Amino acid sequence: MSSLQKSIMKNKLPPKAPRSSGTSKLAPFGGGRRKDYTPVSWKNYFEKFVDVETEGGVFRVYLSPEPDCPERPRIVTLHGGGYSGLSWALFTEEITSMIHCQVVAMDIRGHGETQAKDPDDLSIETLVKDVEQVLQKLFGALPPLLLLGHSMGGAVAVRAAHAPTLEPHVRGVAVIDVVEGTAMEALASMQSFLRSRPTHFKSIEHAIEWCVRSSQVRNVASARVSMPSQIINCETGRLATNEVENYQCESPTEPLPPPRRGDVIAEEGEGEEDGEAEGEGDGDVAHFTKPSSMGGMKYRWRVDLAHSERHWSGWFRGLSAAFLSAHAPRLLLLASLDGLDRDLTVGQMQGDAHIHHAHYTHRTLYTPHTRSTGSTATSPSGRCKVTRTYITRTIHTAHYTHRTLARRARPRPHRRADAR
């Protein structure tokens, strides 16, 4: 046995499979099997939805069951640009199974089923005002709130935590994969990224398959429930979620070709058990025919993000300072700590905020791990184990911090000078 073979055995890597013929065999989790890309109803994850009317329009809000006690926190989730409240569906199922809380998943202005009077006004001031008015209309007397946002939604969450009407009720702020410095730098290439996306899809299944294969969302279950809320029917002008209940599946297609290499070992935790699209990650995109804008395409994007470019810098400018100055406990989840700007680096060193490094956090909340439990980080298909754990800790920290401050604020009985 060679030294290389001994090294492989010591590292507990699987041995090389013997070849019985000149043709490589597909692994059990290879890309040769047809995946199920049929859409799934939001009712599998949320109890109901409410259309909240404000002066800015009618906003769609998806709600999980109410907690057993009104003092339990409400987790207000704010999605990124182009997504919708249904992007938090799997996260909702996971977090509500761990703690007593209610998830409030809102379709931001211009997204999902929300019908705003001016859907093109995506300025940060308008978005924060929308969140304020929706929560006030929804609850009246506001309960404890945990604001949780991804990308654009993270910027809204941080600013909303400073809103005078919300600040006394905010018990925590969690921001996913957004740092002022790196976000501002990335804006220069955003238009190129948007131009690289397909403009139309021939069916809902087609859109879901593209979503998974392009790694916009790496979890099939998440894509099946969230992608219909991101596209609309070109003929009816209605969101594809309205067709899910009576959707007719496409006729079976030919199995997808196998990946170029059959001996590639998937990363730990990225197999079928985690709900990942098997063999459908970044390296397999070449085997999928990219949708085009030619005839026969029935669906298009709900949001034209390219037209919102004038608001992009306003979302992220001053975000780090606003995040660090929030009074509530703060949590920042990042895919890499290399992108921390000066303010956040100093804030982390001084203990002003908890910054956690989790791989692939730009898809963390949208593709949670729904089977195994634990608190360790997982690979791309198991996004939620780190996220849910730290969000749970943030809720508990906020709860006990609130109790401690309240206890300190109580008037203490006067102590006599001669008391011993």
Side-chain angles (χ1 to χ4, degrees), residues 60 62 84 86 107 111-115 204 226-233 236-244 299-303:
R60 172 64 56 89
Y62 297 93
S84 77
L86 295 183
D107 282 349
H111 295 71
E113 291 283 12
T114 288
Q115 300 298 324
I204 300 178
S226 64
M227 192 60 183
S229 64
Q230 301 175 40
I231 57 176
I232 62 175
N233 190 308
T236 64
R238 301 186 66 194
L239 210 64
T241 50
N242 296 287
E243 306 174 16
V244 172
Y299 298 89
R300 61 178 175 84
W301 292 107
R302 162 71 170 88
V303 187

Side-chain angles (χ1 to χ4, degrees), residues 28-352:
F29 49 86
R33 290 191 296 173
R34 174 68 178 176
K35 306 302 298 180
D36 184 4
Y37 296 112
T38 55
V40 174
S41 173
W42 61 269
K43 296 179 181 179
N44 295 343
Y45 300 94
F46 294 95
E47 181 184 46
K48 62 181 179 179
F49 71 79
V50 178
D51 288 329
V52 181
E53 185 173 359
T54 69
E55 64 180 44
V58 180
F59 292 80
R60 172 64 56 89
V61 181
Y62 297 93
L63 299 169
S64 65
E66 293 187 9
D68 56 351
C69 176
E71 293 302 318
R72 303 288 189 187
R74 266 65 170 186
I75 303 179
V76 182
T77 59
L78 301 170
H79 58 80
Y83 291 92
S84 77
L86 295 183
S87 298
W88 304 92
L90 271 70
F91 168 78
T92 298
E93 179 183 54
E94 184 72 10
I95 200 70
T96 54
S97 68
M98 295 184 62
I99 58 176
H100 294 286
C101 67
Q102 182 182 36
V103 174
V104 180
M106 170 183 169
D107 282 349
I108 291 178
R109 170 187 296 254
H111 295 71
E113 291 283 12
T114 288
Q115 300 298 324
K117 296 178 181 178
D118 185 6
D120 295 328
D121 183 9
L122 295 178
S123 63
I124 190 65
E125 296 80 11
T126 300
L127 298 182
V128 171
K129 185 178 180 180
D130 289 340
V131 173
E132 285 187 85
Q133 294 182 350
V134 167
L135 293 178
Q136 290 173 347
K137 278 287 189 73
L138 188 62
F139 294 110
L142 290 175
L145 303 173
L146 175 66
L147 303 181
L148 170 62
H150 163 246
S151 189
M152 175 191 74
V156 177
V158 170
R159 271 43 175 264
H162 290 274
T165 58
L166 298 181
E167 187 176 25
H169 307 279
V170 176
R171 300 291 183 263
V173 182
V175 179
I176 312 299
D177 204 35
V178 54
V179 174
E180 178 183 350
T182 55
M184 296 296 290
E185 294 175 0
L187 295 181
S189 59
M190 185 57 63
Q191 286 287 2
S192 298
F193 166 74
L194 294 177
R195 286 193 297 267
S196 68
R197 301 194 308 172
T199 58
H200 292 74
F201 304 94
K202 64 181 180 181
S203 67
I204 300 178
E205 288 177 278
H206 194 213
I208 295 172
E209 184 172 5
W210 174 85
C211 179
V212 174
R213 287 183 167 275
S214 63
S215 294
Q216 177 171 327
V217 174
R218 296 177 65 94
N219 185 296
V220 178
S222 180
R224 291 172 66 189
V225 65
S226 64
M227 192 60 183
S229 64
Q230 301 175 40
I231 57 176
I232 62 175
N233 190 308
C234 297
E235 298 176 359
T236 64
R238 301 186 66 194
L239 210 64
T241 50
N242 296 287
E243 306 174 16
V244 172
E245 297 291 338
N246 302 316
Y247 185 75
Q248 298 293 328
C249 300
E250 286 184 328
S251 57
T253 58
E254 292 297 323
L256 299 171
R260 295 181 180 180
R261 292 184 59 188
D263 58 345
V264 174
I265 301 174
E267 292 185 36
E268 183 180 357
E270 287 194 17
E272 182 177 359
E273 183 179 356
D274 287 333
E276 173 130 13
E278 302 159 4
E280 296 169 4
D282 299 336
D284 198 35
V285 177
H287 298 293
F288 176 64
T289 303
K290 181 179 177 180
S292 66
S293 57
M294 305 301 292
M297 297 297 174
K298 188 178 180 182
Y299 298 89
R300 61 178 175 84
W301 292 107
R302 162 71 170 88
V303 187
D304 188 355
L305 290 175
H307 288 171
S308 64
E309 182 178 10
R310 66 183 186 276
H311 301 298
W312 293 350
S313 60
W315 295 345
F316 306 113
R317 186 179 295 113
L319 180 60
S320 295
F323 176 75
L324 293 172
S325 62
H327 295 300
R330 298 168 297 278
L331 168 67
L332 176 60
L333 284 175
L334 295 175
S336 173
L337 298 181
D338 296 337
L340 287 180
D341 53 29
R342 181 179 180 274
D343 291 340
L344 290 177
T345 301
V346 173
Q348 183 187 28
M349 295 174 63
Q350 295 178 345
D352 293 336

Side-chain angles (χ1 to χ4, degrees), residues 367-389:
T367 58
H369 190 285
T370 58
R371 294 184 183 179
S372 56
T373 57
S375 59
T376 56
T378 62
S379 54
S381 59
R383 312 288 180 243
C384 195
K385 287 204 284 190
V386 163
T387 305
R388 70 185 186 188
T389 301

Side-chain angles (χ1 to χ4, degrees), residues 412-420:
R412 296 185 178 183
H414 178 69
R415 188 175 182 180
R416 295 173 55 185
D418 58 345
R420 294 184 181 273

